[in-house]
Amino acid sequence: MAETREIDRIADLWALLDGVPDPEIPVISVVDLGIVRDIREQPDGSVTVIITPTYTGCPATLLIEQMIREALESDASLRFTIRTELSPAWTTDWISEKGKQALKEYGIAPPQPGERDVPCPRCGTTDVECISQFGSTPCKALYKCRQCLEPFDHFKCI
Ligand SMILES: [Zn+2]
């Protein structure tokens, strides 16, 4: 069953890349972040990995591509191409549920549709204030919880 083996191979590659952490937020993988959009088997037996950068100009983008390349190179028999596709554009909707949960546990408020009520990742209150639109990286905004008085990063919704 050659076909089944190929499917397994693609699944193995997804699992491999799920082990590549985001360089800025190491608790979330590049797969959960939605940067790795697709892995396609080509007729010649090579694979094409489609990646979409998150925020345009995010300095981590090149580093992420390099980390993905290194992970794929660990399989010496694998021939691959990494292709960057900008369309459809990445949005925070591409972050998986598992990824959003990991962000929360890490103390980063996951992106919320609507962006109005950002709950504190520690106590859950929405009694928070935005201190700065730019947190530790341009992708995040810095908030402060008025209840537990702790600052926290909020992954901005785009
Ligand atoms: Zn709080």
Side-chain angles (χ1 to χ4, degrees), residues 120-125 127-128 145-150 152:
C120 169
R122 289 185 183 84
C123 65
T125 182
D127 185 17
V128 299
C145 176
R146 292 199 186 99
Q147 299 292 321
C148 55
L149 305 177
E150 288 290 328
F152 64 91

Side-chain angles (χ1 to χ4, degrees), residues 2-158:
E3 203 174 311
T4 310
R5 211 163 54 234
E6 277 168 21
I7 291 166
D8 284 347
R9 190 170 165 224
I10 296 293
D12 285 349
L13 289 174
W14 278 108
L16 176 72
L17 294 182
D18 197 30
V20 177
D22 176 69
E24 289 176 347
I25 314 165
V27 293
I28 186 169
S29 77
V30 293
V31 169
D32 281 327
L33 204 48
I35 291 173
V36 179
R37 186 154 291 186
D38 203 4
I39 301 174
R40 292 179 201 148
E41 182 108 37
Q42 301 301 325
D44 67 359
S46 70
V47 296
T48 301
V49 176
I50 312 290
I51 62 171
T52 298
T54 53
Y55 301 83
T56 310
C58 198
T61 303
L62 280 175
L63 179 59
I64 288 170
E65 184 176 336
Q66 191 189 331
M67 288 166 76
I68 290 172
R69 186 175 300 279
E70 280 170 11
L72 294 169
E73 280 171 352
S74 68
D75 180 351
S77 66
L78 183 70
R79 285 176 300 124
F80 65 90
T81 313
I82 297 175
R83 203 165 77 209
T84 302
E85 281 186 6
L86 299 176
S87 176
W90 182 88
T91 72
T92 39
D93 289 345
W94 289 88
I95 301 177
S96 70
E97 283 308 313
K98 174 166 147 265
K100 286 177 184 166
Q101 191 58 37
L103 285 176
K104 197 174 164 189
E105 282 163 13
Y106 191 57
I108 296 175
Q112 303 274 332
E115 200 65 350
R116 274 162 186 267
D117 297 322
V118 179
C120 169
R122 289 185 183 84
C123 65
T125 182
T126 52
D127 185 17
V128 299
E129 63 181 311
C130 183
I131 297 171
S132 166
Q133 277 301 316
F134 296 95
S136 55
T137 72
C139 319
K140 286 174 248 154
L142 185 63
Y143 279 77
K144 185 179 175 183
C145 176
R146 292 199 186 99
Q147 299 292 321
C148 55
L149 305 177
E150 288 290 328
F152 64 91
D153 276 332
H154 167 57
F155 210 99
K156 276 194 241 170
C157 216
I158 56 167

